[in-house]
Amino acid sequence: MIKRYSYSPFIDTGAVVTKVDITCGKPDFFSVSEDGVFSFVMDDKTRVYGLGEAVRGINKRGWIYESFCTDEPFHTEDKRSLYGAHNFIIIDGKERFGAFFDTPVRLTFDIGYTDSDIISIKPDKFCLDLYIITADTLKGIVGEFRAMIGRSYTPPLWAFGYGQSRWGYVNQDDIRAAANRYQEAGIPIDMIYLDIDYMEDFKDFTVSKERFPDLKGLSDEMGERGIRLIPIIDAAVKKQEGYSVYDEGHGKGYFCKDENGEDFVVGVWPGMSVLPDFFNDEVSRWFGMKYKALTDLGIQGFWNDMNEPALFYSEKELNNAFKEIKTYEGKTLGALTFFGAREVFTRLANSDKDYGSFYHNTPDGRFVHSDVHNMYGYMMTKSAHEALSELIPDNDFLLFSRASYIGAHRYGGIWTGDNHSWWAHILQSLQQMPALNMCGFMFVGSDIGGFNGSCTRDLLIRWLSFALFTPLMRNHSAVGTRSQEAYAFGDTEVFRHIIELRYRLLPYLYSSYIHAVDNNEMYFRPLAFDYEDDDVAAQVEDQLMVGDSLMIAPIYTQNADARHVYLPESMRQIRMSKGEISTEELNKGWHYVSVPLGDVVFFSKKPLPLAKPAMNTSELKLDDVEYVF
Ligand code: MIG
């Protein structure tokens, strides 16, 4: 059952598609203060799930989180916000319910941080709809919530193939070289991503003539080899006269405005730039149709970046910073003054001051950005989705985004942004997956091998062994880091076997995905959701159920060649070793399972269909399977 309590929401976020009548009075479960702080007292056993893309465990208890879409390059456990704002939690103790706080303003979720027994949820402004969801089971709560927010985005089968990305493939020879190395090594691949390097001066919807002289030719050639090119699109548009996207948008007043009605100018990759006002339907459609420049070249997939929106600085604050830094000149810089001087520029990035200095024109009126900040990436994804649905027949396109708000799950997937080549980030990714599914985000994955920092052979092997189960399976890394393609570490056999296993598993994984989307179920679930009466299962933070009948328990520590695995019932252990599959029956309970580097081990409750190996999804035969058990 769902009850809605309405506290002067000032904009319809569009997150909820099945309307729920307002129930007046005090909400169930929470007490509410006059300034809008929602409190709940936890007993010792209470666990808290949800919040989508966030740091820390599957059980969110014991930390403070902020919903405020942030370009956060260090996903360490002391952080409060990442790129998404996913305001749905499930509280599971002597009382059990879900709560969705529908508001685009910043929200703080103090889940037993200030006071270890108290959940306190505080919006920056007391303007929101609260939905309280009750059902008999945890899965039931998710099912009701998901039905209310609408069907999750489903890309075509090819998007479930393996993809290689890297910031720093600077020209079409780099792209061709990556394709060659994969295919020569016999490693399956379906997608190669183009990062901002393909653009002319980082301008959206342009292609560098010098470095990518024939993108159409490259795209066709790759297409014949079963590979699709997936370019990036950034939120901000370079401010440059003569650049048609800027000229048109500026002429029509399509960019976000400052308090004087002038375009608000920010610095990001292209230098001085402006922000499309996606909240205005006309702008949304205009920007979306710009993707045609690339779909006309045969492109069928995009990733939308920098749409928190990330700001390096604003023109105005940059000018102030230059003035301020002059005041330091000639002074003896003691420790404090030195750090003060250093901060003058670093504090410019993503500042609250800037977010409070520009405006959107929406059908509900004019809003200062900070009041609707969490919807910006969502609106960009919606814009792209609506246009691509027109531009590409049969919805045969891939789309995912960095920033998101609940509702965006209907329009695209998300990737979890700039993680690191750290072992801890395999576990972090695993823990994010079910939380994202609860919030509707089903087509999800993290940068395999880690974005920042330098990857090692063993890290990539272990990361792939987990990520072969994630719907979005993409290896991506930052410019300047060590190469981490599946061919970058000398030997390729071990990588070939793991990525091949992904394709062999696609009959199961793809149909599980579709089934979960069709039925408002989670593709990834904590064990607690399937084994509600099992107190041990409820504690497990590093294993997941995948689809109806698989359980995974990946290795995420360096130099470990075994780990403890909890089986909540007896299952078949399935082992892929050097491409060969073997199985073994294991009983309910704890097991110490050996997983030498290169083996992939997981567990099945039912006979598992496996396809024949294929080099890409167009070669893959989904219905030509053998069953292993
Ligand atoms: O400020 O386009 O998260 O995946 O490679 C960095 C360059 C901008 C951030 C994305 C990352 C991408 C990078 N972008």
Side-chain angles (χ1 to χ4, degrees):
M1 191 177 70
I2 304 188
K3 286 189 184 175
R4 168 178 162 219
Y5 305 87
S6 198
Y7 305 92
S8 34
F10 56 86
I11 188 171
D12 180 1
T13 64
V16 168
V17 293
T18 307
K19 294 299 170 200
V20 180
D21 289 340
I22 298 178
T23 310
C24 290
K26 179 199 162 305
D28 288 347
F29 306 112
F30 288 107
S31 63
V32 192
S33 75
E34 262 175 32
D35 54 344
V37 181
F38 293 78
S39 312
F40 177 85
V41 182
M42 295 185 278
D43 61 6
D44 285 352
K45 288 206 158 163
T46 302
R47 285 183 289 268
V48 181
Y49 301 103
L51 295 181
E53 190 179 27
V55 299
R56 303 224 172 194
I58 292 173
N59 181 353
K60 306 314 286 184
R61 187 167 179 165
W63 188 241
I64 182 166
Y65 306 86
E66 262 173 27
S67 273
F68 194 74
C69 298
T70 304
D71 175 10
E72 170 52 68
F74 289 93
H75 307 173
T76 47
E77 63 183 65
D78 56 333
K79 295 295 155 41
R80 296 181 178 189
S81 304
L82 297 173
Y83 314 84
H86 304 150
N87 304 334
F88 175 62
I89 56 173
I90 297 176
I91 296 174
D92 182 23
K94 61 182 185 306
E95 286 160 316
R96 173 189 272 179
F97 61 96
F100 174 45
F101 295 81
D102 188 15
T103 174
V105 305
R106 187 196 314 253
L107 263 179
T108 307
F109 287 87
D110 183 333
I111 317 271
Y113 167 77
T114 303
D115 179 331
S116 57
D117 294 335
I118 308 254
I119 296 179
S120 112
I121 297 158
K122 186 180 177 327
D124 265 17
K125 287 190 178 171
F126 192 7
C127 302
L128 56 90
D129 276 332
L130 167 62
Y131 296 83
I132 300 279
I133 301 138
T134 47
D136 289 341
T137 60
L138 294 165
K139 290 188 203 176
I141 292 171
V142 172
E144 292 221 24
F145 176 59
R146 292 266 305 279
M148 179 176 80
I149 59 174
R151 191 176 195 276
S152 300
Y153 165 75
T154 301
L157 172 68
W158 54 262
F160 290 79
Y162 173 74
Q164 179 63 54
S165 184
R166 180 170 174 85
W167 181 11
Y169 289 153
V170 296
N171 56 36
Q172 55 186 43
D173 290 342
D174 284 354
I175 302 295
R176 207 174 269 124
N180 292 347
R181 302 263 329 248
Y182 268 98
Q183 293 189 332
E184 280 158 16
I187 305 172
I189 184 163
D190 263 84
M191 286 157 287
I192 298 184
Y193 288 76
L194 305 180
D195 207 320
I196 49 175
D197 320 88
Y198 81 89
M199 298 178 191
E200 188 77 59
D201 295 333
F202 305 130
K203 286 187 283 194
D204 278 342
F205 314 114
T206 69
V207 178
S208 162
K209 287 201 190 61
E210 192 191 321
R211 288 171 291 107
F212 287 81
D214 184 14
L215 186 56
K216 168 95 173 73
L218 184 70
S219 165
D220 289 348
E221 175 196 328
M222 289 296 142
E224 275 158 31
R225 298 167 63 175
I227 297 174
R228 286 176 173 82
L229 299 179
I230 314 292
I232 194 171
I233 300 293
D234 279 2
V237 167
K238 185 175 176 72
K239 183 187 172 196
Q240 184 185 58
E241 277 170 35
Y243 165 40
S244 65
V245 181
Y246 172 74
D247 287 343
E248 274 174 49
H250 176 67
K252 295 198 161 147
Y254 283 171
F255 301 123
C256 295
K257 300 280 186 282
D258 66 15
E259 68 277 12
N260 304 317
E262 302 293 326
D263 286 356
F264 187 73
V265 181
V266 299
V268 268
W269 290 104
M272 293 301 176
S273 305
V274 287
L275 296 164
D277 188 359
F278 293 107
F279 291 77
N280 173 330
D281 288 345
E282 198 180 311
V283 182
S284 172
R285 186 176 159 78
W286 167 77
F287 191 87
M289 290 314 271
K290 294 288 169 208
Y291 287 72
K292 186 167 186 297
L294 293 153
T295 59
D296 280 350
L297 306 181
I299 300 292
Q300 289 176 269
F302 296 91
W303 45 311
N304 282 346
D305 190 19
M306 303 293 281
N307 51 5
E308 293 70 28
L311 310 180
F312 298 165
Y313 53 80
S314 65
E315 186 176 43
K316 187 169 158 216
E317 292 308 318
L318 183 69
N319 290 335
N320 288 338
F322 279 121
K323 280 183 209 144
E324 190 179 338
I325 206 73
K326 284 219 177 77
T327 66
Y328 285 90
E329 218 175 289
K331 284 197 185 137
T332 317
L333 294 188
L336 286 182
T337 27
F338 171 71
F339 290 119
R342 205 171 64 168
E343 272 292 292
V344 169
F345 287 97
T346 53
R347 69 162 189 248
L348 294 180
N350 309 319
S351 78
D352 279 349
K353 192 165 181 192
D354 283 336
Y355 288 138
S357 304
F358 63 97
Y359 297 84
H360 299 275
N361 283 306
T362 84
D364 293 321
R366 177 178 181 258
F367 295 109
V368 63
H369 175 78
S370 44
D371 279 354
V372 291
H373 173 78
N374 285 340
M375 284 174 69
Y376 192 79
Y378 162 27
M379 299 310 272
M380 182 186 184
T381 310
K382 182 167 183 267
S383 151
H385 181 104
E386 286 172 349
L388 292 174
S389 308
E390 275 182 49
L391 293 169
I392 298 183
D394 305 321
N395 283 331
D396 192 16
F397 64 85
L398 166 62
L399 176 64
F400 60 93
S401 170
R402 194 169 71 176
S404 61
Y405 179 78
I406 288 174
H409 70 285
R410 299 190 298 269
Y411 302 108
I414 56 177
W415 94 100
T416 56
D418 300 346
N419 58 7
H420 273 72
S421 298
W422 293 338
W423 289 86
H425 281 180
I426 300 179
L427 179 60
Q428 180 172 82
S429 175
L430 178 148
Q431 291 171 327
Q432 286 173 337
M433 293 297 133
L436 287 165
N437 282 188
M438 283 173 218
C439 298
F441 294 92
M442 298 290 283
F443 194 75
V444 288
S446 58
D447 288 352
I448 297 167
F451 177 74
N452 287 301
S454 285
C455 187
T456 56
R457 176 176 178 271
D458 55 348
L459 180 66
L460 185 63
I461 291 172
R462 292 305 193 191
W463 206 315
L464 284 166
S465 304
F466 157 63
L468 75 91
F469 295 95
T470 61
L472 168 63
M473 184 186 186
R474 180 179 76 143
N475 178 330
H476 181 48
S477 55
V479 65
T481 61
R482 182 183 185 190
S483 294
Q484 61 184 50
E485 292 83 0
Y487 52 75
F489 297 99
D491 59 329
T492 50
E493 276 301 282
V494 63
F495 297 97
R496 179 166 72 79
H497 287 137
I498 296 170
I499 297 169
E500 194 174 271
L501 179 61
R502 156 64 163 220
Y503 284 76
R504 300 197 69 193
L505 280 167
L506 275 180
Y508 177 81
L509 300 178
Y510 180 66
S511 60
S512 296
Y513 182 95
I514 303 289
H515 176 87
V517 167
D518 284 348
N519 295 284
N520 298 314
E521 290 174 9
M522 294 157 69
Y523 168 95
F524 284 120
R525 296 176 307 283
L527 271 46
F529 281 52
D530 282 31
Y531 302 92
E532 290 201 351
D533 300 324
D534 183 331
D535 290 337
V536 180
Q539 307 283 333
V540 173
E541 284 272 342
D542 59 358
Q543 303 176 199
L544 295 176
M545 305 303 296
V546 182
D548 273 348
S549 55
L550 289 191
M551 184 182 79
I552 58 171
I555 298 260
Y556 54 88
T557 36
Q558 190 160 28
N559 300 318
D561 59 5
R563 59 161 286 174
H564 286 99
V565 177
Y566 180 67
L567 265 64
E569 62 178 296
S570 68
M571 293 183 190
R572 254 358 231 196
Q573 174 187 281
I574 301 188
R575 175 183 302 271
M576 188 283 296
S577 186
K578 302 195 170 66
E580 299 298 319
I581 307 282
S582 58
T583 68
E584 185 187 340
E585 179 75 10
L586 293 185
N587 293 329
K588 175 177 157 75
W590 284 102
H591 296 267
Y592 191 64
V593 177
S594 153
V595 193
L597 193 64
D599 280 17
V600 180
V601 173
F602 53 101
F603 306 87
S604 185
K605 300 198 293 182
K606 288 188 191 148
L608 175 69
L610 278 186
K612 304 245 153 45
M615 284 297 287
N616 51 54
T617 50
S618 34
E619 279 186 7
L620 181 72
K621 296 204 179 64
L622 280 180
D623 47 12
D624 184 8
V625 297
E626 55 169 306
Y627 283 86
V628 297
F629 200 52

